[in-house]
Amino acid sequence: MALRLVRRAKQRTDRARRPGKQPRRAPDATPSLPADPALPPTTGWLLRGKDGRLTAYAPGDQGILRWTETRPGGPEWDGPTFFPVPDLLPHFALAQGADGYVHLAGTLRRRNANGESVTEMATTMQYQSGRPMRQWHSMGTPYPTDRERAGRIGFPSSLVDPRGALHVFIRNAEGGVTHRPQSLNGRWGSWADLKGGDVRGVPAVATTDAGLTEVVAVTETSVLRWVHDALGAPFERADDVVVAVVPGSVSSERTGRGRLTHFWREAATGTVQAWREGMDEPAALGGTGGWGPLALLRTPVDGQDCTIMAQRGPDGRPALAAYPTENESAGAEWTSSGEPCVGVPALAVDGNGRVVLTALGADGTLRVTRQKAESGLAMEPWTTV
């Protein structure tokens, strides 16, 4: 049977404040709800640092908003702090290595002195929770001499491999996928065209517990996949999954030894589906009418290995569901709570081992709910930061 989510009869919203001076907020720096599918929501935006504190990141108006727990497990937060990044489009990719360092990759678009549009990719890093971000550095594009083609690249996805090296993936101007690795000394390798075609939305990338990466991209009629058989080895095309998927709805989670399960929305109905290598067809997990990719978290609930999912539901509110990991036949019961949000929710485990669900309000606030100290996946009332 599906895990039962405990519903709250009454929702209340409290404002969590830290005594003393509040961090600076830019007057108009509110989270950006994408106006069209070309501006996808940022996913995986709640991360736990080496010191156990959670940090939340959101795209603002030409910059980044950040909130950080004042201590592991909260409940107080510092923020939002605004980091101006001129010309940053309102989407960025987040990746965290085993060292706790957080890497951000984004797309900069500006006008030069001749009025021409110039596009380039850029990255930065945050070493520790609550510390400043480093200066952004350009990593160019696969088309250094062709502004028109550079302007047609997609938004980035990224990951950090077990060696601590950053990898960035984009949809290229030809509709395939291009990959650029960074070495441990910080130097960028060459752009590698992984081929493919008709790719829509942002490629999804994830690593297995063995450190091997799988790249997933959506076309009109199928899901394309690339894998490699050793760390640092070239990517090769794997078998396609013949299913029509909503572009930009893919996310992935480690669900077994050497295995990833990919989650997406079936194009015709918007229903959440799960698929992994060896399955004849995707398994349906409800969530029909939701929007964007899922937030995913694999963690024990009452001692049982579970996969927790969160989405922006049909009514715009965060919705939560869980099921025993890799047992999709158990089904998943979705429970909505809180107020409507922008973008997509995020999930993490805090420094006290509790599940934390966060969402962004249209007013620029961070909203937080934590797992109660009782059986099941019961969540506390939402608080507003």
Side-chain angles (χ1 to χ4, degrees):
M1 295 180 64
L3 289 173
R4 178 174 169 268
L5 300 184
V6 178
R7 297 177 183 268
R8 293 178 298 281
K10 179 181 179 182
Q11 295 291 333
R12 77 174 190 269
T13 301
D14 300 323
R15 178 166 295 273
R17 297 184 184 274
R18 184 188 181 197
K21 185 178 179 181
Q22 296 295 307
R24 178 178 66 90
R25 175 202 281 275
D28 57 352
T30 57
S32 300
L33 178 63
D36 59 68
L39 294 174
T42 294
T43 57
W45 50 269
L46 183 66
L47 299 172
R48 190 173 73 187
K50 293 289 281 187
D51 64 358
R53 290 189 293 164
L54 295 175
T55 302
Y57 305 81
D61 182 10
Q62 297 198 60
I64 293 171
L65 292 162
R66 190 187 72 186
W67 297 259
T68 305
E69 286 184 316
T70 59
R71 63 176 181 269
E76 290 83 18
W77 296 72
D78 273 333
T81 303
F82 181 64
F83 297 88
V85 189
D87 307 314
L88 178 70
L89 296 181
H91 171 87
F92 53 85
L94 289 152
Q96 186 177 35
D99 53 13
Y101 298 169
V102 177
H103 301 256
L104 296 90
T107 305
L108 305 179
R109 184 165 294 158
R110 58 183 173 81
R111 293 282 177 181
N112 64 14
N114 297 323
E116 300 169 310
S117 177
V118 178
T119 301
E120 61 181 342
M121 309 296 297
T123 62
T124 189
M125 182 189 298
Q126 175 187 299
Y127 286 114
Q128 296 175 336
S129 303
R131 301 296 297 169
M133 297 180 192
R134 296 185 63 190
Q135 182 179 355
W136 285 75
H137 294 280
S138 173
M139 57 179 290
T141 76
Y143 314 103
T145 62
D146 192 329
R147 291 197 182 106
E148 190 276 330
R149 293 171 77 195
R152 290 191 279 119
I153 63 174
F155 293 92
S157 56
S158 63
L159 60 82
V160 178
D161 72 22
R163 302 170 300 179
L166 177 66
H167 299 256
V168 176
F169 301 81
I170 59 169
R171 187 195 73 242
N172 59 41
E174 288 72 41
V177 174
T178 295
H179 162 231
R180 193 174 195 188
Q182 188 179 41
S183 65
L184 295 181
N185 64 11
R187 295 183 179 178
W188 286 102
S190 300
W191 292 97
D193 186 355
L194 305 186
K195 305 300 182 182
D198 193 34
V199 168
R200 303 175 183 201
V202 180
V205 294
T207 59
T208 68
D209 53 5
L212 300 182
T213 297
E214 185 165 348
V215 184
V216 176
V218 173
T219 72
E220 184 177 8
T221 59
S222 61
V223 174
L224 311 183
R225 300 165 52 234
W226 292 261
V227 297
H228 57 186
D229 56 12
L231 191 61
F235 286 94
E236 303 289 343
R237 281 286 298 274
D239 292 338
D240 298 346
V241 185
V242 183
V243 59
V245 171
V246 176
S249 69
V250 181
S251 53
S252 307
E253 182 62 275
R254 300 175 186 177
T255 58
R257 189 169 181 81
R259 293 194 301 278
L260 296 169
T261 298
H262 307 294
F263 298 78
W264 52 62
R265 297 187 186 279
E266 194 268 334
T269 65
T271 299
V272 173
Q273 295 182 330
W275 181 90
R276 62 186 160 273
E277 189 75 50
M279 293 178 68
D280 293 332
E281 60 184 19
L285 289 169
T288 303
W291 180 85
L294 300 181
L296 300 168
L297 178 65
R298 183 186 177 193
T299 190
V301 177
D302 293 344
Q304 183 173 26
D305 180 2
C306 292
T307 297
I308 302 173
M309 306 174 290
Q311 69 166 346
R312 182 169 176 257
D315 58 1
R317 298 191 298 159
L320 194 64
Y323 71 97
T325 296
E326 295 195 347
N327 185 15
E328 285 81 13
S329 62
E333 177 185 347
W334 290 88
T335 300
S336 297
S337 65
E339 299 176 3
C341 62
V342 299
V344 292
L347 285 165
V349 174
D350 71 12
N352 293 332
R354 296 194 295 172
V355 174
V356 178
L357 173 64
T358 54
L360 296 167
D363 59 355
T365 58
L366 175 69
R367 298 168 185 177
V368 183
T369 178
R370 297 177 195 264
Q371 185 179 16
K372 290 182 177 180
E374 58 184 60
S375 62
L377 193 57
M379 305 299 286
E380 296 177 344
W382 288 86
T383 61
T384 300
V385 180

